[in-house]
């Protein structure tokens, strides 16, 4: 009985750890094309295949086009946020090349906790 309880506690800890990691704030600040981060900043093309570490990241293949909506700034400037079709998420800026820039001046705003949650089928996933 004690062994079963120990295993359940271990599974609970692993599950909690994965949940905390998937909702971790990646940066306190981001740059956008407008204060609400609704305007596309640029269009980029993937220079390599990319498979993100969790559901917050955008997966894509070489040559696919991505619309960029924000760029994390200050403590984590390597990650950009964009969409490909209905998929939306983070990706490293060094796996894409800029094809077209839509905005002339970037606005820096605070991130929100909801910026780092998984979005599936128009619903936030709280793990």
């Amino acid at each position: 009985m004690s062994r079963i309880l120990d295993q359940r506690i271990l599974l609970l800890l692993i599950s909690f750890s994965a949940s905390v990691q998937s909702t971790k704030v990646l940066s306190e600040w981001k740059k956008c094309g407008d204060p609400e981060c609704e305007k596309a900043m640029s269009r980029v093309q993937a220079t390599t295949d990319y498979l993100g570490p969790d559901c917050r990241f955008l997966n894509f293949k070489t040559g696919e086009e991505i619309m960029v909506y924000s760029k994390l700034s200050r403590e984590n400037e390597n990650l950009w946020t964009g969409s490909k079709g209905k998929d939306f998420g983070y990706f490293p800026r060094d796996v894409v090349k800029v094809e077209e820039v839509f905005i002339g001046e970037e606005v820096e705003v605070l991130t929100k906790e909801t910026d780092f949650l998984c979005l599936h089928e128009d619903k936030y996933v709280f793990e």
Side-chain angles (χ1 to χ4, degrees):
M1 183 78 162
S2 174
R3 185 173 175 199
I4 292 172
L5 184 58
D6 289 345
Q7 289 174 342
R8 287 184 181 171
I9 291 172
L10 180 60
L11 287 173
L12 182 63
L13 289 172
I14 291 169
S15 175
F16 177 74
S17 173
S19 174
V20 169
Q21 182 179 11
S22 69
T23 58
K24 184 175 110 178
V25 172
L26 301 172
S27 177
E28 296 291 327
W29 295 90
K30 63 184 176 181
K31 293 181 182 178
C32 302
D34 63 281
E36 291 79 33
C37 299
E38 294 175 348
K39 292 182 183 175
M41 299 175 73
S42 60
R43 180 175 51 84
V44 299
Q45 185 177 44
T47 57
T48 186
D49 292 356
Y50 178 73
L51 181 61
D54 62 46
C55 59
R56 297 173 297 170
F57 290 79
L58 183 66
N59 300 321
F60 47 80
K61 303 265 185 214
T62 303
E64 289 188 303
E65 289 188 348
I66 301 160
M67 301 299 288
V68 177
Y69 288 91
S70 68
K71 302 172 181 178
L72 295 184
S73 60
R74 299 190 186 187
E75 62 266 14
N76 195 355
E77 295 185 352
N78 184 48
L79 291 178
W80 289 2
T81 310
S83 67
K84 175 191 68 132
K86 292 182 178 181
D87 297 330
F88 187 85
Y90 293 94
F91 57 92
R93 69 180 183 187
D94 61 353
V95 298
V96 298
K97 66 178 177 180
V98 176
E99 295 284 309
E100 187 175 6
V101 176
F102 302 131
I103 55 105
E105 189 173 324
E106 297 175 349
V107 178
E108 190 171 50
V109 297
L110 283 167
T111 60
K112 303 173 195 165
E113 186 176 314
T114 54
D115 289 337
F116 306 105
L117 298 175
C118 296
L119 182 61
H120 291 293
E121 300 173 7
D122 300 325
K123 298 177 187 165
Y124 285 111
V125 176
F126 296 91
E127 297 180 356

